[in-house]
Amino acid sequence: MDLLIILTYVALAWSVFKIFKIPVNKWTLPTAALGGVILVGGLILLMNYNHPYTSLAQKAVIAIPITPQVTGVVKRVTEKQNQPIKKGEMLFELDNTRFQARVDRLEADLVTAVHNIRSIRGQLEEAIANTSYVSAERDRLLQDYQRYLKGSKAKVNPFSERDIDNARQNFLGQDALVKSSVAEQAQIKSQLESVVNGEQSQIVSLRAQLAEARYNLEQTVVRAPGDGYVTQVLIRPGTYAAALPLRPVMIFIPAQKRQIIAQFRENSLLRLEAGDLAEAVFNALPGQVFEGRLVTVLPVIPGGSYQAQGTLQSLNNVNAANGVLAIIELKANPEVDALPDGISGQVAIYSDHFSHVSVMRKVLLRMTSWMHYLYLDH
């Protein structure tokens, strides 16, 4: 852009010399050259300082890598690739035979567990009745044993030692049956009293497993997380898709407000303020200029970010990476929306300082846009 200003001045000076027939000598030529250096240099310094420009700009979007939540073989893939797609539409489907089988098995196990609980309640009632029966029998045998003991203390003992011993053994055996029945009853009660949130723990566990299995079954159909489009679809029916976060199978671009990310020189921070007027031009749209506003300047420079490593970290001060990133929001325009995401362009920011100099920047930006007809690289 500086070259455009210099060439413009040279053209004007040449025109002045020709129109006014100014002789070219040792006074006029150095005066024109020196005047040009002062004038053009001053204008360039004022313009660059107060109205920053960058050729490093992109139409940027946030992309969502799509990774399946479960692992399986791809059964179907959407045909809407690089086309608008609605939230909830199918992106791809995995073979669900294994997941459906697990759901069916857990549903059967849950039904069995519910019936088992009913059966256990019946067993408890039976154990309670049995405890009552053996307890009554024990009490009867205890009375018999006490009667035998009382008779053995009489002057004339009508019972033999064997009768007394048999009565004692019968009582002790029945007492053991009572204790066994009580223990069985307590064991059954413990199973029924294992409750979580008012429901038997085994059933709660099966319901949780069934809910997880149903969730995994639903995840065999991967759906669009929102309105947008899907691109770089790298799977086909028969592909083995793994639930690994580092192995996405496609990229989803959600519908979002179109923004421009531009990288400016670090000293441009002196004049970059949120809300400043901005203009952008794109290589793909020669001769057109699009207005917008500077939204914010990112608080970090990519080259200055570090991560913990096993070795000492050196400076990431690479000249090509030096620069502050700014987000520019353009006014709604169907031509900009139709551009491929990630396309490059050039951006100028107009501050409130020396606003009359911004006219020159605007002219130069439009000249840059016209030069895009020539397929020149910037």
Side-chain angles (χ1 to χ4, degrees):
M1 299 202 46
D2 299 342
L3 180 60
L4 289 176
I5 297 177
I6 296 172
L7 292 176
T8 302
Y9 176 78
V10 171
L12 288 174
W14 181 84
S15 299
V16 169
F17 271 78
K18 287 295 184 180
I19 294 173
F20 296 99
K21 298 181 179 180
I22 299 174
V24 179
N25 53 44
K26 64 179 181 178
W27 301 109
T28 57
L29 190 60
T31 300
L34 182 60
V37 170
I38 296 174
L39 178 62
V40 174
L43 290 175
I44 290 176
L45 288 175
L46 281 175
M47 182 185 65
N48 287 339
Y49 181 78
N50 294 288
H51 309 291
Y53 163 86
T54 180
S55 61
L56 301 175
Q58 276 189 318
K59 179 188 176 189
V61 292
I62 304 299
I64 301 176
I66 300 297
T67 303
Q69 297 295 312
V70 295
T71 300
V73 177
V74 177
K75 185 178 179 181
R76 286 192 304 155
V77 182
T78 180
E79 296 180 355
K80 293 184 177 181
Q81 300 179 21
N82 301 309
Q83 302 176 24
I85 193 169
K86 294 294 184 180
K87 180 179 180 180
E89 289 190 41
M90 187 271 296
L91 297 181
F92 64 94
E93 181 182 358
L94 302 177
D95 184 8
N96 65 355
T97 303
R98 175 165 56 94
F99 301 97
Q100 184 65 58
R102 177 168 172 76
V103 169
D104 295 341
R105 179 171 63 82
L106 287 173
E107 287 178 343
D109 291 345
L110 181 59
V111 173
T112 302
V114 171
H115 285 288
N116 286 342
I117 295 300
R118 296 174 183 172
S119 176
I120 290 174
R121 290 195 179 101
Q123 292 176 15
L124 178 60
E125 294 176 358
E126 182 181 354
I128 293 173
N130 184 61
T131 301
S132 300
Y133 171 74
V134 294
S135 296
E137 185 66 17
R138 180 196 61 183
D139 294 341
R140 186 186 66 79
L141 292 176
L142 176 60
Q143 292 175 0
D144 289 346
Y145 175 55
Q146 290 175 343
R147 183 167 55 83
Y148 277 100
L149 284 178
K150 185 177 180 181
S152 65
K153 296 177 182 179
K155 293 181 179 181
V156 180
N157 184 6
F159 306 113
S160 65
E161 291 293 332
R162 183 175 181 180
D163 292 335
I164 297 172
D165 186 62
N166 286 339
R168 179 174 176 274
Q169 293 299 326
N170 289 336
F171 164 70
L172 293 176
Q174 193 65 27
D175 187 59
L177 289 177
V178 171
K179 291 178 180 178
S180 175
S181 179
V182 170
E184 181 182 1
Q185 182 179 332
Q187 182 180 6
I188 296 174
K189 281 184 177 180
S190 68
Q191 295 181 26
L192 293 176
E193 291 174 354
S194 177
V195 175
V196 177
N197 295 328
E199 197 169 27
Q200 207 273 337
S201 59
Q202 182 183 5
I203 294 180
V204 172
S205 175
L206 286 173
R207 288 192 192 281
Q209 294 179 54
L210 181 58
E212 181 182 5
R214 284 173 175 166
Y215 173 80
N216 289 336
L217 178 61
E218 291 176 358
Q219 297 310 306
T220 58
V221 179
V222 180
R223 302 186 181 278
D227 295 345
Y229 67 91
V230 66
T231 187
Q232 290 190 9
V233 180
L234 304 178
I235 54 174
R236 296 293 183 272
T239 304
Y240 186 81
L244 297 174
L246 300 179
R247 294 292 300 274
V249 295
M250 60 178 63
I251 302 297
F252 182 79
I253 308 297
Q256 55 194 280
K257 186 178 293 184
R258 297 308 187 223
Q259 294 180 330
I260 305 299
I261 306 296
Q263 179 177 310
F264 291 90
R265 296 184 182 93
E266 294 179 5
N267 52 9
S268 297
L269 280 172
L270 297 170
R271 287 294 182 263
L272 293 178
E273 295 183 5
D276 284 345
L277 178 66
E279 287 186 335
V281 297
F282 297 97
N283 297 14
L285 297 173
Q288 300 187 56
V289 179
F290 304 94
E291 291 187 0
R293 291 284 176 181
L294 174 61
V295 177
T296 185
V297 177
L298 297 187
V300 63
I301 294 177
S305 61
Y306 302 89
Q307 296 181 0
Q309 300 180 5
T311 57
L312 290 176
Q313 179 69 56
S314 61
L315 291 178
N316 293 335
N317 195 356
V318 182
N319 291 332
N322 278 344
V324 294
L325 297 181
I327 300 178
I328 292 96
E329 185 177 303
L330 298 180
K331 293 182 179 180
N333 189 293
E335 290 188 271
V336 176
D337 292 339
L339 290 175
D341 295 324
I343 200 166
S344 62
Q346 298 81 41
V347 170
I349 304 294
Y350 307 115
S351 70
D352 295 331
H353 303 274
F354 289 89
S355 57
H356 56 281
V357 183
S358 65
V359 176
M360 186 168 61
R361 173 66 79 192
K362 292 180 179 180
V363 171
L364 291 174
L365 186 65
R366 283 153 177 77
M367 293 175 68
T368 300
S369 180
W370 298 333
M371 289 178 64
H372 290 158
Y373 283 110
L374 304 178
Y375 292 89
L376 297 177
D377 294 331
H378 293 276

